[in-house]
Amino acid sequence: MRIILLGAPGSGKGTQGDLISGKYGFPKISSGDLLRQAVADGTPLGRAAEAKMKRGELVSDDVVIGMIKDRIKKEDCQKGYILDGFPRTISQALSLERMSPDGAEIVFDIHLDDQVVFDRISARRICSGCNHIFNLQLKAIGQREICENCGGTLIQRADDKPEVIKDRLKNYHEQRETLVVFYKEKNVYLCVEGDADRAKIFENICIFLDNKIAQAQRTTGTDDCL
Ligand code: AMP
């Protein structure tokens, strides 16, 4: 089972990916997280990606495709995986097809207005100690920008600054339509309203996912997820 999460940066793909992973046991693979880790580790891949990421531009298809290809070969992905932030271009989507052409697939496109996305990302902070993500909109007024888990200082990602968010949204819209058409033609596309309570969004996702899994099990005649 391949689960793909489409949606603007900040639309809640990561949160829903974690919830899906927790319930169904598939690993969540976030291309952004893998790239940030590579940058932090100073690997050649990270060095190739860093400048583009800071500017909010897309990292080259070759780099990202190679990285995802290596990741989904791993043992924990053999029954399924959740992709968050990949594919972002039609070339990435086509490569993904070639990497694993068979098996059940479902695409959730989490829809959110640009202004809501903008406000949400501007308020996003990451703990410099434990990497936990916080939204300042949800913190009580007057609360300091300190991590509730480990006491670390909360920082803003360079690409979460307002001027960069605009470019990220522009890039997102340039690529989105082609991907939506591609997955609609494959009959695996579902649009999910993202401006709702995260539990409600997850509930909606689970309804579709349970159906898809049951359907896949009927097709293969096994209890195993694909
Ligand atoms: P994200 O955390 O998904 O918002 O990604 C952060 C940044 O990583 C993006 O703004 C891009 O620079 C880069 N990135 C993540 N995923 C991809 C991808 N699939 N293709 C190209 N660049 C990506």
Side-chain angles (χ1 to χ4, degrees):
M1 167 68 72
R2 173 159 71 214
I3 301 162
I4 296 175
L5 297 170
L6 298 182
S11 58
K13 302 187 295 295
T15 305
Q16 293 301 324
D18 286 335
L19 293 169
I20 298 169
S21 180
K23 175 165 179 185
Y24 296 90
F26 304 122
K28 183 192 85 168
I29 303 170
S30 154
S31 48
D33 284 351
L34 290 176
L35 286 166
R36 278 184 288 279
Q37 190 59 53
V39 170
D41 293 345
T43 65
L45 190 151
R47 286 199 294 277
E50 188 171 13
K52 287 196 177 238
M53 288 175 76
K54 276 199 178 136
R55 290 195 298 266
E57 293 169 14
L58 289 185
V59 173
S60 79
D61 281 337
D62 288 355
V63 168
V64 185
I65 290 167
M67 183 183 79
I68 295 293
K69 197 173 178 178
D70 287 346
R71 179 64 188 87
I72 66 174
K73 272 189 206 146
K74 297 206 168 139
E75 186 56 37
D76 64 338
C77 294
Q78 297 321 301
K79 284 200 172 177
Y81 49 89
I82 305 157
L83 290 171
D84 158 17
F86 183 95
R88 261 177 159 96
T89 64
I90 191 67
S91 158
Q92 294 178 12
L94 293 170
S95 299
L96 185 61
E97 295 283 305
R98 288 193 290 273
M99 285 176 216
S100 59
D102 304 319
E105 179 178 55
I106 189 161
V107 177
F108 294 107
D109 184 8
I110 305 182
H111 178 262
L112 207 55
D113 282 345
D114 279 4
Q115 188 58 51
V116 182
V117 166
F118 187 87
D119 293 343
R120 211 186 255 190
I121 307 184
S122 311
R124 183 160 67 184
R125 297 291 183 274
I126 294 188
C127 171
S128 53
C130 67
N131 285 332
H132 191 85
I133 295 173
F134 291 89
N135 185 326
L136 295 187
Q137 290 168 325
L138 303 177
K139 272 189 163 260
I141 295 169
Q143 249 181 326
R144 290 164 57 220
E145 295 193 19
I146 297 290
C147 176
E148 285 147 26
N149 298 335
C150 74
T153 310
L154 303 189
I155 52 169
Q156 188 173 39
R157 260 167 52 181
D159 59 347
D160 281 351
K161 303 217 186 279
E163 56 281 14
V164 186
I165 302 172
K166 286 189 185 136
D167 288 336
R168 291 171 71 194
L169 278 171
K170 185 169 156 281
N171 292 332
Y172 164 70
H173 285 295
E174 275 169 12
Q175 305 292 339
R176 176 183 182 270
E177 203 46 43
T178 329
L179 285 176
V180 170
V181 170
F182 177 74
Y183 286 119
K184 275 188 179 168
E185 278 175 3
K186 285 192 76 191
N187 219 8
V188 292
Y189 175 88
L190 284 161
C191 188
V192 181
E193 179 49 55
D195 198 8
D197 184 55
R198 67 177 65 176
K200 183 69 202 155
I201 301 173
F202 183 52
E203 203 181 302
N204 289 336
I205 287 181
C206 290
I207 294 170
F208 290 118
L209 211 41
D210 288 341
N211 273 333
K212 187 79 182 181
I213 290 170
Q215 193 188 349
Q217 286 168 343
R218 278 198 301 276
T219 311
T220 56
T222 111
D223 279 351
D224 238 7
C225 289
L226 300 177

